[in-house]
Amino acid sequence: MDDGGYVMAGFSLLLMVPAMILALMILSIDDSSVERSADRSLSESMTGALWDIRDSIPVITREVLNGTAQEAINGTLPPDLDARARVRAGVQGRIDRLCAVHRNMNLSCRVNSVEGATDDPFCIEVNSTVDIRAGKIHHTENISVRVPVEDLPDPLPFRVLGRLQHNETSIEYGRSLMEYLSSGNREAYDGASGPFLIRRCPYEPYTIHGSSGVLYACLLNGYYHESHDGSCYLCRLEGKTSCPHLGLETFIIPSGNFEEAPVSVDHVLFTTAYTGEPHNGSGFIIYLDGAHRKKYGVIQ
């Protein structure tokens, strides 16, 4: 080979080196792109799983609460029930099954607590910790959701008095409440009735119940009100007529008209009944003491 041939061969070799380097760079870029795409896919999958858990907790909790309330209605709950522990365990079991559906990742959700919301007795607060691992990605997140108890059955009358007749909206107490009361013209509650479902009273502030027609509408619809003396929903499941939490109270409508009779507020009737004077709410006769008259704006 002459000198020209060597020069051409060397020149060709020099041209191949950059081409090889460029090819390696392109392969490296492609590999990186594939890796980033895989990571992005895993991230999107994890986000979907996280939202699945987040969206499912309120639905599952309401179903567990409703199921527990139905047990109270049927009289199958133990007398020493720990409602918070029972509901938490019920939610945890359902969540564990939901996590198992996401087989492409290591997904777990620990239900840390089930408590009544401190500022709203019409809500249950569920606190959980979700842990997701997929490939090299690991994510942990605390989730707190509020679950409304509105339109769930009120378990308290059944926990206190046992089996009662009811339809989809109201409870018929028959002679049960009268026989439960020990004194104070208890005959006023022979055939009493009360609400079956928890429904938030829309008439606020409560003092406007003294206005024309408001108390009638409240009693007709069986609304519930915030109360520092009544029990919260979880304690109602336990059969507690009062508790240290922000709770609920509603009116039980008597059937008789006397000069005085036990106050027509559920936690009063179920705890230590004391007497009040009758008030005619456009056809509904209820008995109120001074404190409840003031609370609801009912002037004697």
Side-chain angles (χ1 to χ4, degrees):
M1 182 181 294
D2 58 15
D3 292 342
Y6 286 116
V7 171
M8 289 298 297
F11 185 70
S12 298
L13 182 61
L14 290 174
L15 289 176
M16 290 175 61
V17 171
M20 293 175 62
I21 293 173
L22 180 60
L24 290 172
M25 290 177 62
I26 291 172
L27 288 172
S28 177
I29 291 172
D30 287 344
D31 289 343
S32 178
S33 177
V34 169
E35 186 176 346
R36 285 198 303 271
S37 177
D39 288 346
R40 183 165 58 252
S41 177
L42 287 171
S43 180
E44 290 171 356
S45 179
M46 291 170 68
T47 300
L50 181 63
W51 279 105
D52 189 19
I53 297 296
R54 187 194 300 274
D55 292 343
S56 297
I57 288 174
V59 177
I60 290 173
T61 303
R62 271 188 68 90
E63 290 175 352
V64 172
L65 287 169
N66 182 62
T68 310
Q70 293 298 331
E71 291 185 75
I73 292 166
N74 296 330
T76 57
L77 285 178
D80 58 346
L81 173 73
D82 183 339
R84 289 155 182 79
R86 187 185 185 99
V87 173
R88 190 196 67 77
V91 174
Q92 184 70 71
R94 294 276 300 275
I95 289 293
D96 288 345
R97 292 195 290 273
L98 179 61
C99 290
V101 172
H102 297 273
R103 296 186 178 90
N104 60 329
M105 63 187 69
N106 188 353
L107 172 63
S108 66
C109 174
R110 184 178 68 253
V111 181
N112 300 314
S113 65
V114 175
E115 290 287 349
T118 57
D119 59 344
D120 187 353
F122 292 92
C123 288
I124 301 295
E125 190 168 273
V126 182
N127 295 293
S128 307
T129 302
V130 179
D131 188 88
I132 309 176
R133 296 175 184 270
K136 298 179 180 178
I137 304 175
H138 178 211
H139 178 74
T140 300
E141 183 170 330
N142 294 320
I143 296 177
S144 180
V145 298
R146 287 195 169 193
V147 182
V149 300
E150 293 179 70
D151 294 322
L152 290 176
D154 183 357
L156 183 60
F158 303 91
R159 292 289 276 168
V160 174
L161 300 174
R163 300 292 289 269
L164 297 167
Q165 295 294 321
H166 68 89
N167 56 32
E168 293 181 354
T169 59
S170 63
I171 298 171
E172 300 300 328
Y173 284 90
R175 296 179 63 85
S176 296
L177 183 54
M178 182 194 72
E179 293 172 353
Y180 176 81
L181 297 169
S182 58
S183 61
N185 288 330
R186 60 182 186 157
E187 294 80 10
Y189 292 91
D190 184 6
S193 62
F196 177 63
L197 299 177
I198 304 289
R199 291 177 173 169
R200 185 194 297 263
C201 183
Y203 302 113
E204 297 182 356
Y206 293 154
T207 51
I208 66 173
H209 282 65
S211 303
S212 176
V214 173
L215 181 60
Y216 172 79
C218 177
L219 296 172
L220 181 66
N221 290 285
Y223 289 136
Y224 283 70
H225 310 86
E226 290 187 11
S227 172
H228 290 283
D229 299 315
S231 55
C232 68
Y233 193 80
L234 291 170
C235 287
R236 284 173 176 263
L237 285 170
E238 296 174 347
K240 295 176 180 176
T241 57
S242 62
C243 69
H245 317 108
L246 182 61
L248 302 165
E249 70 179 19
T250 191
F251 297 108
I252 294 178
I253 302 173
S255 57
N257 191 352
F258 294 84
E259 291 186 1
E260 64 175 23
V263 170
S264 303
V265 178
D266 62 344
H267 65 82
V268 175
L269 292 170
F270 294 148
T271 308
T272 304
Y274 49 84
T275 58
E277 297 181 355
H279 176 78
N280 190 332
S282 301
F284 289 113
I285 304 295
I286 60 172
Y287 298 90
L288 298 174
D289 63 312
H292 285 96
R293 285 182 181 273
K294 182 178 180 181
K295 177 176 180 175
Y296 294 103
V298 176
I299 301 174
Q300 194 168 359

